[in-house]
Short mmCIF file of all heavy atoms in Angstrom, two decimals:
data_model
loop_
_atom_site.label_atom_id
_atom_site.label_comp_id
_atom_site.label_asym_id
_atom_site.label_seq_id
_atom_site.Cartn_x
_atom_site.Cartn_y
_atom_site.Cartn_z
N VAL A 1595 34.34 22.71 3.51
CA VAL A 1595 35.61 22.29 4.09
C VAL A 1595 36.26 21.21 3.23
O VAL A 1595 37.46 21.23 2.96
CB VAL A 1595 35.41 21.79 5.53
CG1 VAL A 1595 36.68 21.12 6.06
CG2 VAL A 1595 35.02 22.94 6.45
N ALA A 1596 35.44 20.25 2.77
CA ALA A 1596 35.97 19.15 1.96
C ALA A 1596 36.51 19.68 0.62
O ALA A 1596 37.58 19.26 0.17
CB ALA A 1596 34.88 18.11 1.71
N GLU A 1597 35.79 20.61 -0.01
CA GLU A 1597 36.21 21.12 -1.31
C GLU A 1597 37.44 22.00 -1.21
O GLU A 1597 38.29 21.99 -2.10
CB GLU A 1597 35.06 21.90 -1.97
CG GLU A 1597 34.01 21.03 -2.58
CD GLU A 1597 34.58 20.06 -3.60
OE1 GLU A 1597 35.26 20.50 -4.55
OE2 GLU A 1597 34.38 18.85 -3.44
N SER A 1598 37.53 22.81 -0.15
CA SER A 1598 38.69 23.70 -0.01
C SER A 1598 39.86 23.02 0.67
O SER A 1598 40.97 23.57 0.71
CB SER A 1598 38.30 24.94 0.80
OG SER A 1598 37.91 24.59 2.11
N SER A 1599 39.63 21.81 1.22
CA SER A 1599 40.67 21.09 1.97
C SER A 1599 41.25 21.96 3.07
O SER A 1599 42.44 21.94 3.35
CB SER A 1599 41.79 20.60 1.04
OG SER A 1599 41.28 19.75 0.05
N SER A 1600 40.38 22.76 3.68
CA SER A 1600 40.84 23.69 4.72
C SER A 1600 39.67 24.06 5.61
O SER A 1600 38.65 24.54 5.12
CB SER A 1600 41.43 24.96 4.07
OG SER A 1600 41.62 25.97 5.03
N PHE A 1601 39.84 23.83 6.93
CA PHE A 1601 38.81 24.26 7.87
C PHE A 1601 38.72 25.78 7.87
O PHE A 1601 37.62 26.35 7.97
CB PHE A 1601 39.13 23.74 9.27
CG PHE A 1601 38.96 22.27 9.43
CD1 PHE A 1601 40.05 21.42 9.49
CD2 PHE A 1601 37.68 21.71 9.50
CE1 PHE A 1601 39.90 20.05 9.62
CE2 PHE A 1601 37.51 20.34 9.63
CZ PHE A 1601 38.62 19.51 9.70
N LYS A 1602 39.85 26.43 7.75
CA LYS A 1602 39.88 27.90 7.78
C LYS A 1602 39.19 28.48 6.56
O LYS A 1602 38.27 29.31 6.68
CB LYS A 1602 41.33 28.39 7.87
CG LYS A 1602 41.46 29.89 7.87
CD LYS A 1602 42.93 30.31 7.90
CE LYS A 1602 43.09 31.82 7.83
NZ LYS A 1602 44.52 32.23 7.84
N VAL A 1603 39.63 28.07 5.37
CA VAL A 1603 39.06 28.61 4.14
C VAL A 1603 37.59 28.23 4.02
O VAL A 1603 36.75 29.05 3.65
CB VAL A 1603 39.86 28.12 2.91
CG1 VAL A 1603 39.17 28.53 1.62
CG2 VAL A 1603 41.27 28.66 2.95
N GLY A 1604 37.28 26.96 4.33
CA GLY A 1604 35.89 26.51 4.25
C GLY A 1604 34.98 27.29 5.17
O GLY A 1604 33.88 27.70 4.78
N SER A 1605 35.43 27.52 6.39
CA SER A 1605 34.62 28.27 7.36
C SER A 1605 34.48 29.73 6.95
O SER A 1605 33.39 30.31 7.05
CB SER A 1605 35.24 28.17 8.75
OG SER A 1605 35.32 26.82 9.18
N LEU A 1606 35.59 30.33 6.48
CA LEU A 1606 35.51 31.72 6.01
C LEU A 1606 34.58 31.84 4.81
O LEU A 1606 33.81 32.80 4.70
CB LEU A 1606 36.91 32.22 5.64
CG LEU A 1606 37.85 32.55 6.80
CD1 LEU A 1606 39.24 32.90 6.27
CD2 LEU A 1606 37.30 33.71 7.63
N PHE A 1607 34.65 30.85 3.93
CA PHE A 1607 33.77 30.86 2.76
C PHE A 1607 32.31 30.80 3.18
O PHE A 1607 31.48 31.57 2.68
CB PHE A 1607 34.11 29.67 1.85
CG PHE A 1607 33.09 29.43 0.77
CD1 PHE A 1607 33.08 30.22 -0.37
CD2 PHE A 1607 32.15 28.43 0.89
CE1 PHE A 1607 32.13 30.01 -1.37
CE2 PHE A 1607 31.21 28.21 -0.10
CZ PHE A 1607 31.20 29.00 -1.23
N VAL A 1608 31.99 29.88 4.10
CA VAL A 1608 30.61 29.75 4.55
C VAL A 1608 30.15 31.04 5.24
O VAL A 1608 29.04 31.53 5.00
CB VAL A 1608 30.46 28.55 5.52
CG1 VAL A 1608 29.08 28.54 6.17
CG2 VAL A 1608 30.67 27.24 4.76
N GLY A 1609 31.03 31.62 6.08
CA GLY A 1609 30.68 32.87 6.75
C GLY A 1609 30.44 33.99 5.76
O GLY A 1609 29.45 34.73 5.85
N ALA A 1610 31.36 34.12 4.78
CA ALA A 1610 31.21 35.18 3.77
C ALA A 1610 29.98 34.93 2.91
O ALA A 1610 29.25 35.87 2.56
CB ALA A 1610 32.46 35.24 2.90
N PHE A 1611 29.74 33.67 2.58
CA PHE A 1611 28.59 33.33 1.73
C PHE A 1611 27.28 33.71 2.40
O PHE A 1611 26.41 34.35 1.79
CB PHE A 1611 28.62 31.83 1.41
CG PHE A 1611 27.45 31.37 0.58
CD1 PHE A 1611 27.41 31.62 -0.78
CD2 PHE A 1611 26.40 30.68 1.16
CE1 PHE A 1611 26.34 31.20 -1.55
CE2 PHE A 1611 25.32 30.25 0.41
CZ PHE A 1611 25.30 30.51 -0.96
N PHE A 1612 27.14 33.34 3.66
CA PHE A 1612 25.90 33.67 4.35
C PHE A 1612 25.82 35.15 4.68
O PHE A 1612 24.73 35.71 4.81
CB PHE A 1612 25.74 32.81 5.59
CG PHE A 1612 25.27 31.41 5.28
CD1 PHE A 1612 26.15 30.34 5.31
CD2 PHE A 1612 23.97 31.17 4.91
CE1 PHE A 1612 25.75 29.06 4.98
CE2 PHE A 1612 23.54 29.90 4.58
CZ PHE A 1612 24.43 28.84 4.63
N GLY A 1613 26.99 35.81 4.79
CA GLY A 1613 26.97 37.26 4.93
C GLY A 1613 26.39 37.91 3.68
O GLY A 1613 25.56 38.83 3.77
N VAL A 1614 26.82 37.42 2.50
CA VAL A 1614 26.27 37.92 1.24
C VAL A 1614 24.78 37.60 1.14
O VAL A 1614 23.97 38.43 0.70
CB VAL A 1614 27.03 37.31 0.04
CG1 VAL A 1614 26.32 37.61 -1.27
CG2 VAL A 1614 28.45 37.85 -0.01
N LEU A 1615 24.40 36.39 1.58
CA LEU A 1615 22.98 36.02 1.57
C LEU A 1615 22.14 36.97 2.42
O LEU A 1615 21.05 37.39 2.02
CB LEU A 1615 22.80 34.59 2.07
CG LEU A 1615 23.09 33.44 1.11
CD1 LEU A 1615 22.70 32.12 1.75
CD2 LEU A 1615 22.36 33.61 -0.20
N LEU A 1616 22.66 37.29 3.59
CA LEU A 1616 21.93 38.21 4.48
C LEU A 1616 21.78 39.59 3.83
O LEU A 1616 20.72 40.22 3.95
CB LEU A 1616 22.65 38.33 5.82
CG LEU A 1616 22.53 37.12 6.77
CD1 LEU A 1616 23.39 37.32 8.01
CD2 LEU A 1616 21.06 36.91 7.17
N ILE A 1617 22.84 40.04 3.17
CA ILE A 1617 22.76 41.34 2.49
C ILE A 1617 21.72 41.29 1.38
O ILE A 1617 20.88 42.19 1.24
CB ILE A 1617 24.14 41.73 1.92
CG1 ILE A 1617 25.13 41.99 3.07
CG2 ILE A 1617 24.03 42.97 1.04
CD1 ILE A 1617 26.54 42.23 2.60
N LEU A 1618 21.77 40.22 0.56
CA LEU A 1618 20.79 40.07 -0.50
C LEU A 1618 19.37 39.97 0.06
O LEU A 1618 18.43 40.57 -0.50
CB LEU A 1618 21.11 38.83 -1.35
CG LEU A 1618 22.32 38.93 -2.28
CD1 LEU A 1618 22.61 37.57 -2.91
CD2 LEU A 1618 22.10 39.98 -3.36
N TYR A 1619 19.23 39.24 1.16
CA TYR A 1619 17.91 39.11 1.78
C TYR A 1619 17.41 40.47 2.27
O TYR A 1619 16.25 40.85 2.03
CB TYR A 1619 17.99 38.12 2.94
CG TYR A 1619 16.68 37.93 3.68
CD1 TYR A 1619 15.71 37.05 3.20
CD2 TYR A 1619 16.42 38.64 4.85
CE1 TYR A 1619 14.51 36.88 3.87
CE2 TYR A 1619 15.22 38.48 5.53
CZ TYR A 1619 14.27 37.60 5.04
OH TYR A 1619 13.07 37.44 5.70
N ALA A 1620 18.31 41.22 2.95
CA ALA A 1620 17.92 42.53 3.49
C ALA A 1620 17.56 43.50 2.37
O ALA A 1620 16.55 44.21 2.44
CB ALA A 1620 19.05 43.09 4.35
N VAL A 1621 18.39 43.52 1.31
CA VAL A 1621 18.11 44.42 0.18
C VAL A 1621 16.82 44.00 -0.52
O VAL A 1621 16.00 44.84 -0.92
CB VAL A 1621 19.29 44.43 -0.81
CG1 VAL A 1621 18.95 45.23 -2.06
CG2 VAL A 1621 20.53 45.00 -0.14
N GLY A 1622 16.64 42.68 -0.67
CA GLY A 1622 15.41 42.18 -1.29
C GLY A 1622 14.18 42.57 -0.51
O GLY A 1622 13.15 42.98 -1.08
N MET A 1623 14.24 42.44 0.82
CA MET A 1623 13.11 42.83 1.67
C MET A 1623 12.84 44.33 1.55
O MET A 1623 11.67 44.77 1.46
CB MET A 1623 13.40 42.47 3.12
CG MET A 1623 13.34 40.98 3.41
SD MET A 1623 11.66 40.32 3.26
CE MET A 1623 10.86 41.12 4.66
N ALA A 1624 13.91 45.12 1.54
CA ALA A 1624 13.74 46.57 1.39
C ALA A 1624 13.11 46.91 0.04
O ALA A 1624 12.24 47.80 -0.05
CB ALA A 1624 15.09 47.27 1.53
N LEU A 1625 13.53 46.19 -1.01
CA LEU A 1625 12.96 46.42 -2.33
C LEU A 1625 11.46 46.12 -2.35
O LEU A 1625 10.67 46.88 -2.91
CB LEU A 1625 13.68 45.55 -3.36
CG LEU A 1625 13.12 45.57 -4.79
CD1 LEU A 1625 13.29 46.95 -5.41
CD2 LEU A 1625 13.82 44.50 -5.65
N LEU A 1626 11.07 45.02 -1.71
CA LEU A 1626 9.65 44.65 -1.68
C LEU A 1626 8.82 45.68 -0.91
O LEU A 1626 7.67 45.95 -1.27
CB LEU A 1626 9.49 43.26 -1.06
CG LEU A 1626 10.16 42.10 -1.81
CD1 LEU A 1626 9.89 40.78 -1.12
CD2 LEU A 1626 9.68 42.05 -3.26
N VAL A 1627 9.42 46.26 0.13
CA VAL A 1627 8.73 47.32 0.87
C VAL A 1627 8.54 48.55 -0.02
O VAL A 1627 7.46 49.17 -0.04
CB VAL A 1627 9.51 47.69 2.15
CG1 VAL A 1627 8.92 48.93 2.80
CG2 VAL A 1627 9.50 46.53 3.13
N VAL A 1628 9.58 48.90 -0.77
CA VAL A 1628 9.49 50.04 -1.67
C VAL A 1628 8.44 49.82 -2.75
O VAL A 1628 7.69 50.73 -3.11
CB VAL A 1628 10.87 50.32 -2.31
CG1 VAL A 1628 10.76 51.37 -3.42
CG2 VAL A 1628 11.87 50.77 -1.27
N LEU A 1629 8.35 48.59 -3.26
CA LEU A 1629 7.40 48.28 -4.32
C LEU A 1629 5.96 48.39 -3.86
O LEU A 1629 5.04 48.50 -4.69
CB LEU A 1629 7.68 46.88 -4.88
CG LEU A 1629 8.98 46.72 -5.70
CD1 LEU A 1629 9.15 45.28 -6.14
CD2 LEU A 1629 8.99 47.65 -6.90
N LYS A 1630 5.71 48.34 -2.56
CA LYS A 1630 4.34 48.50 -2.06
C LYS A 1630 3.78 49.88 -2.39
O LYS A 1630 2.56 50.06 -2.45
CB LYS A 1630 4.31 48.27 -0.55
CG LYS A 1630 4.45 46.82 -0.14
CD LYS A 1630 4.33 46.66 1.37
CE LYS A 1630 4.44 45.20 1.77
NZ LYS A 1630 4.33 45.03 3.24
N SER A 1631 4.68 50.84 -2.59
CA SER A 1631 4.23 52.19 -2.92
C SER A 1631 3.64 52.26 -4.31
O SER A 1631 3.10 53.30 -4.72
CB SER A 1631 5.39 53.18 -2.79
OG SER A 1631 6.42 52.86 -3.72
N ALA A 1632 3.72 51.17 -5.07
CA ALA A 1632 3.18 51.17 -6.43
C ALA A 1632 1.66 51.27 -6.46
O ALA A 1632 1.08 51.52 -7.52
CB ALA A 1632 3.62 49.89 -7.15
#
Side-chain angles (χ1 to χ4, degrees):
V1595 170
E1597 282 304 305
S1598 63
S1599 300
S1600 168
F1601 289 105
K1602 179 182 177 181
V1603 173
S1605 300
L1606 286 174
F1607 168 79
V1608 171
F1611 178 77
F1612 282 104
V1614 169
L1615 281 186
L1616 286 175
I1617 293 173
L1618 287 173
Y1619 178 83
V1621 173
M1623 287 293 292
L1625 174 66
L1626 297 182
V1627 171
V1628 171
L1629 290 178
K1630 286 183 179 180
S1631 63

